[in-house]
Amino acid sequence: MRRMTRRRPIGRLRSFLLLPHALVALALVASTPTVGEAGSPDADPKIPLDGPYRYDIEYLGITCGHLTLVSRLDEYEGRPAYHISLHARTTPFFDHIYRVDGRIDSWTDAETMNALAYESVISEKGKTSVKRYRVDLAARQVI
């Protein structure tokens, strides 16, 4: 008797979406922070501010997409915050096969390192997904 198992299909290009998260972690670990003025939040930055980082994403030796990672010190709702922005998209050739265009933005409090907000806009195969979250630290809620 043959046992039937249900397998979840995972396309090779679909793993393209997992790669940006790994590259963000790699870039944050491997880069060197800049030094700011004494007393400012970026005097000893906990997140590297020297970018942007640009990566080519390859599959079988063919460039199928590009990824850009930028981190900078901004203000978010009147407080200093690290703004991390990641943009990934497929090349024009791969747009015909499996088009991906995504942008992820995250804001983190520069003093406490608490998450403040998250936004992602990802277009995949003609469908767009938008997610926005804001963290209310006083109420301890994600809105």
Side-chain angles (χ1 to χ4, degrees):
M1 181 183 276
R2 191 171 154 191
R3 184 177 174 176
M4 299 278 264
T5 59
R6 188 172 183 197
R7 297 178 73 188
R8 218 174 159 184
I10 299 176
R12 291 181 181 171
L13 287 178
R14 191 162 184 85
S15 64
F16 173 75
L17 292 177
L18 298 176
L19 189 58
H21 298 291
L23 289 175
V24 168
L26 176 66
L28 290 175
V29 170
S31 62
T32 306
T34 59
V35 178
E37 297 176 18
S40 69
D42 63 337
D44 185 22
K46 296 169 180 69
I47 294 178
L49 300 175
D50 56 341
Y53 298 100
R54 300 186 199 291
Y55 300 92
D56 289 335
I57 301 169
E58 294 184 354
Y59 177 71
L60 296 176
I62 300 170
T63 301
C64 60
H66 303 284
L67 180 125
T68 304
L69 172 69
V70 178
S71 58
R72 63 184 176 269
L73 189 62
D74 278 346
E75 273 197 21
Y76 185 82
E77 295 184 352
R79 63 172 67 178
Y82 293 110
H83 180 191
I84 301 167
S85 181
L86 174 76
H87 183 235
R89 75 162 293 143
T90 49
T91 58
F93 174 77
F94 278 91
D95 281 348
H96 299 291
I97 299 168
Y98 195 94
R99 184 170 196 255
V100 175
D101 186 4
R103 181 179 176 96
I104 299 171
D105 289 289
S106 177
W107 290 266
T108 303
D109 188 290
E111 296 167 5
T112 64
M113 294 305 290
N114 288 323
L116 297 173
Y118 170 87
E119 180 178 312
S120 72
V121 179
I122 298 176
S123 297
E124 184 178 1
K125 280 190 142 181
K127 295 182 180 180
T128 301
S129 167
V130 177
K131 295 178 183 174
R132 289 185 177 101
Y133 302 101
R134 190 177 71 78
V135 179
D136 184 352
L137 296 173
R140 300 179 61 109
Q141 292 182 337
V142 176
I143 303 169

